[in-house]
């Protein structure tokens, strides 16, 4: 079981370039990264992640920023200008769960981050963790979702009473950008196939444009196989045999649904890391679950998602052996079936944090 | 004497098995005089595996001597419009059985499936996804009916290029259509003794459009106090479908989400080759394979004649019930379920090696 798990992880990592190998072990100058602990259970799990990274000797120096209590007029939200500047400078960030304050007159926190940092792609690697058994054992895919336009443009209006129109916008620029990133990612991580998911048989011009852009980019990467799959086929194939897919690239709405579907295949949002890529190589990893205020401060939150998201930052920075170590440790810990970490939905009240930390640190240091 | 008792025992066992699979009706169905007159059904073989599976249905109907006769019309996915004579025939017969029509991707031709639904105002699409005994799946206790709004929403087909490189597509939601699909869903649940109706939406992002849909559902829900109503966001819904599908019963959705949810539900319950479905409107009904994925199949399936006829056979059983021939519907359904549970004649998508014809012969052999 352990060896097959290890094999799976090795396959996940793919073929690393020699340059990456050169960077992997010795990196003396610490890399600065912005950390948003967030609300609710955020600060605890952020603390866990910091400790685990320290135990693994990860050369990252964290710069913490908190959500303000007042609206910053420069950003029109509770995130301060300084926080955003810090991410822009450091180029990498890790974000814990943030509760959006209710009310008007300010933008939602996620929207602010997305617009200000121009985060155009959302990357979610989904792989079956050996140690957490679901009905699907061989999931190993990455979903890349266009994050800025599509059906989520927010442009709706009521034409007459009882008739509402909502606009879906697809632009060549955004589609090219996300397709470029998808193929670049596939090449970097040794992936063999990129599948574009669409509904161009019905939405001929909009999804047709998306597909055209994907095809153009595919021509520049001749050694990566490219295919197009209609979304109904994709859904069906995913639930029957997820091993058929490798990297998926999609417009906004389909991406939202498919990435959550894939998260469900491996065990839920409690196990899925997520990383947002912005213009200029900015990477902001986040925990996609909620802030669970009811278990905050009780030392029972599950840091796995934030930990795995942190690991994806390390991969983005081409530090490849540390992610292996940490990932192996958390998989081993899962595999040992420790009662501390059985249910991976954040809402569960299982005392897991301190024990898990201890066990992971133990494995990491060995 | 021993031989006779063994034979009697096996007959009894067969009877018990028959009863278990549900071939008996307890109280009889009393028809009106003249109900047995054969009904005309428009048959559209369609593209790809369509002709194979519709031929299968024709053979089984003949073997059962069912009171239906088929009027065949050739329609192919690359035609510009559905021919007027086909529409006339459907309007006359009120019922149609069709195979899949292939829609060219990215071409200038609008989908004929969508056109047909709009012309005949078939506003509700229904897919019944359930576990078949004998078919191994990862998920158990699945019995979901997805009712999907079929005429508007994202499939309005209204797209235009604003400037080169920017394309817009309109999603139109109207109160009229949302209300009638909600009414149909609750009425279906009421008539079929279903306990819960779940509305699937994305109203946290598309506040006005999906908000309108939800409002209509909520209004209709108040008229059916005995049916439980809840709402779920579409991404959470897909996640729950792959982990806990047993908590879903009837789902009502707008057009696009319905497509995804129906195909996902069909996939977890055994695949699109076995799930029945149909489209219904105020005046007409069209029955076809439930989930849209794979209803045209690929060339290999057509060449090797290994398409799965089970979905269309079960849909034709739905059609027979719709036409008020319940005993024929029961016989057909029982025969199909028996073939699947025995597991000897299954097509490739279910893990077997049989051809379409072999499955058809097995079904005919199993008819009472």
């Amino acid at each position: 079981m352990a060896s097959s798990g290890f094999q799976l992880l090795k396959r996940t990592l793919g073929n690393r370039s020699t340059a990456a190998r050169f960077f992997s072990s010795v990196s003396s100058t610490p890399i600065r990264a912005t950390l948003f602990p967030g609300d609710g259970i955020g600060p605890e799990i952020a603390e866990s992640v910091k400790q685990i990274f320290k135990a693994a000797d990860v050369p990252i120096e964290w710069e913490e920023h908190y959500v303000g209590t007042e609206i910053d007029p420069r950003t029109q939200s509770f995130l301060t200008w300084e926080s955003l500047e810090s991410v822009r400078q450091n180029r990498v960030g890790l974000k814990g769960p943030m509760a959006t304050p209710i009310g008007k007159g300010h933008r939602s926190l996620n929207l602010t981050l997305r617009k200000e940092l121009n985060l155009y792609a959302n990357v979610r690697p989904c792989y079956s963790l050996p140690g957490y058994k679901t009905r699907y054992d061989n999931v190993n895919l990455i979903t890349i979702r266009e994050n800025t336009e599509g059906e989520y443009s927010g442009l709706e209006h009521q034409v007459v009473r009882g008739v509402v129109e909502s606009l879906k916008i697809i632009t060549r620029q955004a589609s090219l950008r996300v397709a470029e990133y998808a193929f670049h990612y596939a090449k970097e991580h040794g992936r063999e196939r990129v599948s574009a998911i669409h509904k161009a048989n019905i939405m001929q011009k909009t999804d047709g444009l998306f597909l055209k852009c994907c095809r153009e980019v595919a021509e520049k990467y001749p050694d990566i196989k490219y295919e197009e799959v209609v979304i109904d086929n994709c859904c069906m194939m995913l639930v029957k045999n997820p091993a058929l897919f490798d990297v998926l690239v999609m417009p906004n709405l389909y991406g939202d649904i498919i990435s959550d579907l894939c998260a469900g295949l491996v065990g839920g949002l409690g196990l899925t890391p997520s990383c947002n890529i912005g213009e200029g190589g900015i990477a902001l990893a986040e925990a996609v679950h909620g802030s669970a205020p009811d278990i905050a401060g009780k030392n029972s939150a599950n840091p796995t998602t934030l930990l795995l998201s942190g690991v994806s930052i390390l991969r983005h920075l081409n530090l490849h052996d540390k992610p292996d170590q940490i990932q192996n440790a958390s998989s081993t810990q899962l595999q040992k079936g420790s009662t501390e970490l059985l249910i991976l939905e954040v809402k569960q009240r299982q005392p897991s944090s301190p024990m898990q930390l201890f066990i992971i640190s133990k494995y990491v240091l060995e | 004497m021993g031989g006779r008792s063994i034979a009697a025992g096996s007959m009894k066992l067969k009877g018990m098995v028959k009863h278990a699979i549900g071939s008996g009706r307890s109280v009889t169905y009393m028809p009106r005089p003249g109900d047995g007159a054969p009904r005309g059904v428009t048959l559209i073989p369609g593209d790809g595996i369509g002709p194979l599976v519709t031929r299968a249905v024709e053979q089984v109907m003949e073997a059962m001597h069912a009171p239906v006769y088929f009027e065949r019309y050739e329609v192919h996915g690359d035609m510009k419009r559905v021919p007027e004579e086909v529409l006339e025939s459907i309007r006359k017969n009120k019922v149609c059985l069709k195979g899949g029509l292939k829609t060219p991707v990215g071409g200038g031709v609008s989908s004929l499936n969508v056109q047909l639904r709009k012309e005949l105002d078939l506003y509700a699409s229904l897919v019944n996804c359930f576990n078949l005994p004998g078919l191994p799946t990862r998920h158990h206790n699945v019995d979901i009916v997805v009712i999907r709004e079929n005429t508007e929403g994202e499939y309005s087909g209204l797209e235009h290029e604003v400037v080169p490189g920017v394309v817009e597509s309109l999603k139109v939601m109207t109160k009229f259509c949302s209300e009638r699909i909600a009414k149909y869903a609750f009425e279906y649940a009421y008539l079929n003794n279903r306990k819960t109706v779940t509305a699937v939406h994305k109203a946290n992002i598309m506040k006005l459009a999906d908000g309108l849909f939800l409002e209509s559902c909520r209004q209709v829900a108040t008229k059916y106090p005995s049916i439980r109503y809840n709402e779920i966001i579409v991404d959470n819904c897909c996640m729950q479908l792959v982990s806990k599908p047993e908590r879903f019963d009837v789902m009502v959705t707008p057009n696009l989400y319905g497509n995804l949810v129906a195909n996902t539900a069909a996939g977890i319950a055994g695949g699109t080759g076995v799930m029945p479905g149909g489209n219904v409107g105020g005046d007409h009904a069209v029955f076809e394979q439930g989930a849209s994925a794979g209803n045209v199949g690929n060339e290999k399936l057509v060449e090797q004649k290994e398409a799965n006829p089970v979905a269309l056979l079960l849909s034709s059983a739905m059609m027979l019930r719709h036409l008020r021939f319940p005993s024929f519907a029961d016989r057909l359904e029982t025969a199909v379920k028996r073939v699947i549970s025995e597991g000897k004649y299954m097509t490739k998508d279910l893990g077997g090696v049989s051809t379409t014809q072999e499955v058809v012969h097995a079904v005919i052999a199993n008819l009472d």
Side-chain angles (χ1 to χ4, degrees), chain B residues 75-76 78-84 87 109 112 115 119:
Chain B
V75 179
H76 295 288
D78 43 9
M79 290 178 176
K80 279 219 174 333
R81 288 187 52 79
V82 179
E84 192 52 45
L87 293 173
V109 185
L112 285 185
Q115 242 187 54
E119 284 284 334

Side-chain angles (χ1 to χ4, degrees), chain B residues 294-309:
Chain B
N295 63 354
V296 179
N298 56 35
E299 280 160 15
K300 213 167 74 160
L301 278 179
V302 179
E303 270 173 49
Q304 297 175 347
K305 300 200 193 307
E306 280 177 346
N308 198 343

Side-chain angles (χ1 to χ4, degrees), chain B residues 16-61:
Chain B
M16 279 168 60
V17 171
K18 265 181 157 181
H19 194 73
I21 300 191
S23 65
R25 285 182 79 81
S26 41
V27 176
T28 187
Y29 161 70
M30 185 174 88
R32 270 195 296 269
D35 267 0
R39 292 286 304 270
V41 171
T42 312
L43 181 70
I44 300 179
D47 299 319
I49 57 171
L52 268 178
V53 293
T54 47
R55 182 93 198 91
V57 171
E58 280 179 302
Q59 286 175 322
V60 174
M61 290 289 175

Side-chain angles (χ1 to χ4, degrees), chain B residues 275-288:
Chain B
M275 298 302 147
N279 305 285
V280 67
D283 303 311
H284 317 283
V286 172
F287 294 88
E288 55 180 346

